[in-house]
Amino acid sequence: MESTDNQKEKQENNEGRDKMEIEKESGWKLHPIGGETGQAFMGIRDQEKVFLKKNSSPFLATLSLEGITPRLIWTKRTGNGDVLTAQEWCNGRTLKRPEMAGTNVVNILNKLHQSDILKRLLNRISGIEVNEEDLMQEYLEDLTIDLKNHPLLKKAYNFLQNSAPLIYTQDDVSVCHADISNKNMLLSDEGELFLVDWDTAILMDHLFDIGQLLARYIEKEDWSNWARETGQNYNENEKDRIYWYVIINLLLDIKYAHRKNRYDQMNELILKLDRWFKR
């Protein structure tokens, strides 16, 4: 089996070759931007800055037109078949964790979830709608024995498995970002909020994104205040769906933290799951 150091070196070599190839074809000097994919860069040419990314979401142009992401400038296919996109460079910062409870976050999610054109486009591109069974299968796939046998995680999974089917209509299905993170919320210097990094976008019940937001940033005891302050008026059915999505998102985040050996984060998530699970 190849060692982790060798795998890392190989990945860095590949990323270096990709960077040189893009610079050669695009004419832009690239500066990698932090992230796990190694696909995003700041491009600089003649004092001009752009945000460059390889193989972005195919509906990036529509997201740009809807004002959900920074303006798309151009798209280009490289010699090796990759698609390179350039977006307007947005001076600003990512949101801080406490800011994720703000009304502006809910507003941009509402804009996304209410866009019929984005829904039609993603449906045409993938045609695949994700449901709760898919999420549970994602959690179980390659789940380690220690997580599978953890009493709280087992209890939470059994609750999800034994819950009544979630009831929603096709009108509730929309484009979901599916990685609601403060690192993906870009606040411009002009105060405009953008949602970025669309590699995880799916067609699903729009409340999945809300459940993920709550799972990651809102404590259970603050849920009612958050809903009231952001103008959300959920009925009992919607509350049940959100609660289900909170639990599955916490399980998935625990699994991811464990896989990345982030054990402090994993333990914090387990404590949060315990607080949420005590209804």
Side-chain angles (χ1 to χ4, degrees):
M1 180 179 292
E2 191 173 18
S3 71
T4 301
D5 288 342
N6 287 340
Q7 290 175 346
K8 184 176 180 181
E9 182 180 358
K10 184 181 293 185
Q11 180 181 354
E12 289 174 349
N13 289 339
N14 289 338
E15 289 174 358
R17 285 194 295 270
D18 287 346
K19 177 175 175 289
M20 288 189 290
E21 183 66 25
I22 294 172
E23 287 181 331
K24 179 180 177 182
E25 293 203 22
S26 69
W28 292 83
K29 181 66 176 176
L30 302 188
H31 299 270
I33 296 174
E36 296 190 11
T37 63
Q39 305 282 302
F41 306 90
M42 177 176 66
I44 299 179
R45 186 178 67 184
D46 299 330
Q47 307 303 314
E48 183 182 0
K49 288 182 184 179
V50 293
F51 174 78
L52 296 174
K53 190 168 183 181
K54 284 173 51 183
N55 302 322
S56 293
S57 166
F59 57 87
L60 187 61
T62 307
L63 288 163
S64 172
L65 288 173
E66 295 277 280
I68 296 172
T69 67
R71 182 173 63 90
L72 180 67
I73 302 173
W74 50 258
T75 300
K76 172 179 179 157
R77 186 172 293 277
T78 64
N80 63 3
D82 288 328
V83 175
L84 189 64
T85 57
Q87 288 176 269
E88 184 177 36
W89 183 262
C90 182
N91 289 321
R93 62 174 178 83
T94 56
L95 290 188
K96 299 172 184 176
R97 288 187 63 87
E99 294 176 310
M100 290 297 288
T103 302
N104 56 348
V105 173
V106 173
N107 288 343
I108 197 170
L109 290 180
N110 286 341
K111 184 187 292 189
L112 168 66
H113 298 152
Q114 293 167 9
S115 173
D116 290 332
I117 188 171
L118 284 171
K119 179 178 177 179
R120 289 195 301 271
L121 185 55
L122 186 55
N123 189 54
R124 194 159 62 238
I125 293 170
S126 72
I128 300 172
E129 183 180 319
V130 177
N131 58 35
E132 57 265 35
E133 291 182 5
D134 298 319
L135 296 174
M136 293 176 70
Q137 185 57 43
E138 180 183 351
Y139 174 68
L140 286 180
E141 187 175 357
D142 300 324
L143 188 66
T144 60
I145 293 296
D146 50 343
L147 292 186
K148 189 176 294 186
N149 292 333
H150 189 286
L152 177 62
L153 273 56
K154 183 188 294 186
K155 182 180 178 182
Y157 178 81
N158 287 339
F159 162 78
L160 298 178
Q161 190 175 41
N162 296 325
S163 295
L166 302 184
I167 300 173
Y168 54 90
T169 69
Q170 277 300 305
D171 288 339
D172 295 312
V173 174
S174 70
V175 175
C176 287
H177 183 275
D179 188 15
I180 304 303
S181 163
N182 61 304
K183 295 178 181 178
N184 291 331
M185 294 284 179
L186 177 61
L187 184 66
S188 74
D189 288 345
E190 290 73 37
E192 190 172 4
L193 186 65
F194 296 108
L195 183 53
V196 300
D197 198 348
W198 289 87
D199 296 337
T200 56
I202 55 175
L203 274 174
M204 194 173 178
D205 178 6
H206 70 283
L207 293 179
F208 174 79
D209 275 347
I210 301 300
Q212 192 171 74
L213 173 65
L214 293 175
R216 293 177 174 177
Y217 297 100
I218 312 294
E219 290 294 338
K220 181 184 177 183
E221 59 270 20
D222 297 329
W223 181 6
S224 295
N225 287 337
W226 169 85
R228 183 173 59 255
E229 291 172 1
T230 56
Q232 309 306 299
N233 186 25
Y234 299 115
N235 60 36
E236 287 306 311
N237 172 267
E238 291 169 329
K239 289 178 182 177
D240 287 342
R241 282 152 55 197
I242 291 172
Y243 181 76
W244 199 97
Y245 293 134
V246 167
I247 302 304
I248 189 63
N249 270 299
L250 285 170
L251 287 177
L252 289 169
D253 284 350
I254 288 166
K255 176 186 174 183
Y256 181 79
H258 183 273
R259 181 159 60 89
K260 292 293 184 177
N261 300 321
R262 300 171 183 170
Y263 297 118
D264 288 343
Q265 180 186 13
M266 182 190 73
N267 289 329
E268 289 177 6
L269 288 166
I270 289 174
L271 290 173
K272 178 175 272 194
L273 175 64
D274 186 49
R275 293 193 295 272
W276 269 97
F277 199 58
K278 292 176 179 175
R279 296 191 74 173

